[in-house]
Amino acid sequence: MAEKFSLSKFFGVNDDYDEDYQEPESAPVAKPTPATPNRPVDSRKVVAMRNAKPNASHIAICEPRIYSDAKSIAKQLTGGDAVIVNFARVDEAQAQRIVDFLNGTAFAVGGEIKRIGEQIFLCTPHNFEVSGDVAANLGTQFTK
């Protein structure tokens, strides 16, 4: 008949103590005393003040002037910050290229990009929620 499988027997560890084995008689061993003096233990918790807002959200405002400024905006977006981008100082072709680049960056981080003005866009990472539709109200605001 097959013997019952046991992990301890498989690894060579046997829980059954040998009955013939006897502990040798020896004198009690003194524990060494610590060389450092005992210090009082302070049970209060210390919290650094500069980390008072670890989960604070941050919104950056940028005005790119050339296409290479899109890289710094993308770094802020991938770092978890929302970015408001004003394209007033960039020509239309450069603005379109930057918007395309930022649209890809926002998609990569699970965020989104929304137009909030005629030349202003809001880029948000995944942990921001944008509600409302400002672009729809822009047309009615200027016709009054």
Side-chain angles (χ1 to χ4, degrees):
M1 188 174 235
E3 188 176 331
K4 182 178 170 185
F5 178 76
S6 171
L7 280 177
S8 60
K9 288 181 182 177
F10 179 76
F11 287 111
V13 179
N14 193 355
D15 291 338
D16 300 332
Y17 293 104
D18 201 16
E19 294 175 10
D20 298 336
Y21 179 75
Q22 292 181 353
E23 284 286 327
E25 299 284 330
S26 63
V29 178
K31 293 182 181 178
T33 58
T36 58
N38 291 337
R39 293 188 289 181
V41 177
D42 190 6
S43 63
R44 294 178 290 173
K45 302 278 185 198
V46 178
V47 178
M49 291 305 292
R50 66 184 120 107
N51 292 335
K53 296 185 202 176
N55 295 330
S57 299
H58 185 257
I59 299 175
I61 300 173
C62 296
E63 277 189 316
R65 296 181 185 190
I66 56 176
Y67 178 74
S68 63
D69 291 342
K71 184 177 178 181
S72 64
I73 298 169
K75 279 187 180 181
Q76 290 177 333
L77 190 59
T78 57
D81 295 338
V83 184
I84 296 174
V85 185
N86 185 359
F87 292 106
R89 296 186 181 206
V90 147
D91 64 28
E92 190 174 335
Q94 290 291 321
Q96 182 62 45
R97 288 182 65 204
I98 294 171
V99 167
D100 289 343
F101 181 79
L102 294 177
N103 196 14
T105 305
F107 178 78
V109 297
E112 61 182 329
I113 183 169
K114 284 198 171 202
R115 183 180 213 142
I116 58 173
E118 187 154 336
Q119 295 181 338
I120 301 172
F121 287 79
L122 173 63
C123 305
T124 56
H126 67 91
N127 56 346
F128 279 79
E129 183 178 332
V130 180
S131 60
D133 195 9
V134 178
N137 297 331
L138 286 177
T140 60
Q141 192 176 34
F142 293 117
T143 57
K144 290 183 180 179

